[in-house]
Amino acid sequence: MTSQLALLGGRPVRKRPFSMWPVFGKAEETRLLRALRSGRWGRLQGAEVERFETRFAAMHGCRHGVAVANGTVSLRLALIAAGLRAEDEVIVPPYTFFSTASAVVEANMIPVFADIELATFNLDPAAVEAAITPRTRAIIPVHFAGQPADMGAIMRIARARKLIVIEDAAHAHGARYKDRPAGSLGHLASFSFQSSKNLTCGEGGIITTNDSRLAGACRSLQNCGRVPGGVWYEHHIISGNYRLGEFQGAVLNAQLDRLEAQTNTRDRNGRFLAARLGLLPGVHPQERPASCTRHSYQLFMLRLDGDAFGAPRPAVIEALRAEGIPCSAGYGFSLPQQPMFRERAFGPYLDRAAARLDYVRVRCPNSDLICREQGIWLEQALFLGRRADMDDIAEAFEKVRGNRAALAAWDRARRPRRRKGAG
Ligand SMILES: Cc1ncc(COP(=O)(O)O)c(C=O)c1O
């Protein structure tokens, strides 16, 4: 006999909060104070950002790291550093944060959407192939939620077509594909340190690469178009000041010491929860291919097939929240349906190309289905806890499923009644 849903007046599965984010302590305080008291607060004066760049790049299998203001700028600078030109086409997924595509527009290039796979939520290599045109110059696979995209297939396509691959690794700190770190799998990679991310300093980003020439171009773009060894008032290419400050560098150095253990904890907990939830009818956790040797679980994602589960997503989310499990539906629609794309509100960018671009007609059925009906997200901090936390999450899902008939009835009762004869 399943106990009554908390939504309907029963006792919630969980009353205690989950792990908090960000995690910080003495180490962050000490480093921040040291940076403060040094009086060397800028990237070009202090040593924190430089040290962080070297350490982060090495941890991600790269010789070079160029820290920047955020993970949007890092994508934009990577595209420019790779030598792409105005109105070149860049293939991006539709199931990702705005920046993956907005950075392309802000580089005066054209985002072309290729659908994701329903099972993995990651870019579908077959859709990438189909989206290639004579103007395609680059692909931005997103390691969505922290699970590496199918980089073997994507790099094969890129080699055959001479395309640049920029990993959007904003979610993938510490993730591994066939035991190789995310961030070292394409020509360049972009990470974010914005406050929700698995490694954070509030706002920040980094570009990683193993290519010295590309690293040099990124360094120059990050630093007002100056060149290494050049003179202060000598700017060789158009760019701006995209440097990261020393306070952020100090926090990042302390946070980086925690990353390895935190990533292993999230990976262990996420794997456990996926196995358990996968036993429930209608619940499809993000499918994890064997190539994903470490998942960073920036998000834990699943698809809920409401018919098979016995209750629709909005009701299930409300019921889970009432049981004490924070969760959400994630993106409500696919990225090409953003007003910015629908209305081609590109500002001064893509001036000539805009007239021939029509994002209203873009169809990405897998992404659309996940956004509109099926996706459920749980955030990374939940996965920093113990096995008992995972048990609570699983128990809440099981309880909601056990009460599906009552939940579906509650959901039907709250919906506005259709008027008879209404079209
Ligand atoms: C997939 C993805 N790419 C890029 C970004 C942009 O990062 P930032 O917010 O640091 O500019 C984000 C972050 O929010 C993201 O989730």
Side-chain angles (χ1 to χ4, degrees), residues 268-288:
R268 196 169 52 243
N269 280 330
R271 203 188 263 279
F272 173 81
L273 186 66
R276 203 154 149 198
L277 293 186
L279 301 174
L280 284 173
V283 177
H284 305 285
Q286 180 184 32
E287 200 173 288
R288 178 172 174 158

Side-chain angles (χ1 to χ4, degrees), residues 153-166:
I154 290 168
M155 292 310 288
R156 268 194 300 282
I157 296 170
R159 270 192 296 276
R161 311 285 192 132
K162 296 194 169 35
L163 305 177
I164 293 287
V165 175
I166 299 170

Side-chain angles (χ1 to χ4, degrees), residues 90-145:
V90 180
I91 296 176
V92 297
Y95 194 77
T96 178
F97 185 61
F98 180 62
S99 300
T100 311
S102 71
V104 176
V105 176
E106 283 198 290
N108 206 23
M109 297 160 196
I110 300 174
V112 174
F113 291 94
D115 206 358
I116 53 167
E117 299 168 331
L118 207 49
T120 65
F121 298 69
N122 269 333
L123 202 49
D124 177 354
V128 170
E129 281 268 22
I132 292 174
T133 76
R135 297 193 70 95
T136 309
R137 295 284 176 273
I139 309 169
I140 306 184
V142 180
H143 303 315
F144 201 82

